[in-house]
């Protein structure tokens, strides 16, 4: 009698997005954040311009717009908010002075490959920057961003805000992707990897 196959455990090679079952605070927070990144990337994966441009109801959101928006969010949180460093050079040619939603509206003219590369690159940079900040200051250390009275947010607060941003937009992506081709599900299936991505592989 053969044994039943054992399902991959959290964080296995088949389910890289699974947070730890038991770990420290930083491991759990970063694990939850990375799970949201993987889930979002699964929801937007392998679409053409038509799929990335699909809208639902009266909303102007599209998966393409969310890709570019969350790329900008990742870079902003890991530079301006955490350390005070400027946004990476990939954002130098932007239109935010004329349109505060520029990263959303300009995405409509971007090729799918550009949108995927922009998002994947931002996540890779953000992971590295956040790891360096936590190593240097810990979650309780000061972030650069502050209130008008001079009080600084903690690194922990900035990362929870980033996690909340993902919670909101991954929900949007759920609905949009289902409208495109019926793809549903909370997590990627075991073994899934993003198409053509070094960041999610």
């Amino acid at each position: 009698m053969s044994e039943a196959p054992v399902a991959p455990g959290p964080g296995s090679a088949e389910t890289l997005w699974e947070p730890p079952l038991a770990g420290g605070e930083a491991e759990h927070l970063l694990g939850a954040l990375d799970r949201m990144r993987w889930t979002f990337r699964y929801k937007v994966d392998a679409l053409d311009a038509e799929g990335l441009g699909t809208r639902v109801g009266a909303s102007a959101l599209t998966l393409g717009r969310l890709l570019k928006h969350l790329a900008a969010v990742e870079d902003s949180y890991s530079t301006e908010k955490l350390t005070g460093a400027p946004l990476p050079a990939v954002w130098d040619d932007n239109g935010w002075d004329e349109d505060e939603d520029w990263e959303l509206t300009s995405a409509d003219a971007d090729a799918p490959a550009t949108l995927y590369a922009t998002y994947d690159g931002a996540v890779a940079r953000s992971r590295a920057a956040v790891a360096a900040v936590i190593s240097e200051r810990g979650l309780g250390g000061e972030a650069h961003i502050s209130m008008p009275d001079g009080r600084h947010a903690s690194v922990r607060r900035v990362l929870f805000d980033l996690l909340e941003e993902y919670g909101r937009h991954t929900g949007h992506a759920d609905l949009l992707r289902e409208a495109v081709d019926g793809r549903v599900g909370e997590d990627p299936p075991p073994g899934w990897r993003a198409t053509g991505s070094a960041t999610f592989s």
Side-chain angles (χ1 to χ4, degrees), residues 81-194:
K81 293 190 176 186
L82 273 183
T83 69
L87 282 170
V90 296
W91 300 106
D92 284 353
D93 184 21
N94 70 74
W96 279 308
D97 286 343
E98 292 75 36
D99 178 5
E100 63 181 13
D101 293 324
W102 168 83
E103 81 282 7
L104 292 167
T105 56
S106 66
D108 297 347
D110 291 338
T114 299
L115 292 171
Y116 289 125
T118 300
Y119 176 76
D120 290 349
V123 170
R125 288 188 295 273
S126 182
R127 282 177 177 155
V130 167
V133 168
I134 291 176
S135 177
E136 175 189 321
R137 308 178 201 174
L139 291 176
E142 279 192 356
H144 175 75
I145 191 170
S146 63
M147 301 293 286
D149 62 7
R151 289 177 298 143
H152 284 262
S154 68
V155 172
R156 180 185 294 104
R157 168 61 191 267
V158 172
L159 294 180
F160 269 110
D161 284 354
L162 179 55
L163 182 60
E164 288 177 1
E165 186 88 7
Y166 265 99
R168 179 183 186 194
H169 291 314
T170 302
H172 293 141
D174 278 332
L175 296 173
L176 287 163
R177 184 57 188 252
E178 186 173 5
V180 172
D181 61 6
R183 175 176 283 187
V184 295
E186 181 178 347
D187 292 329
W192 178 84
R193 297 296 180 267

Side-chain angles (χ1 to χ4, degrees), residues 45-58:
D45 193 48
L47 292 173
D48 58 14
E50 182 180 359
L52 290 175
T54 297
R55 298 185 182 188
V56 173

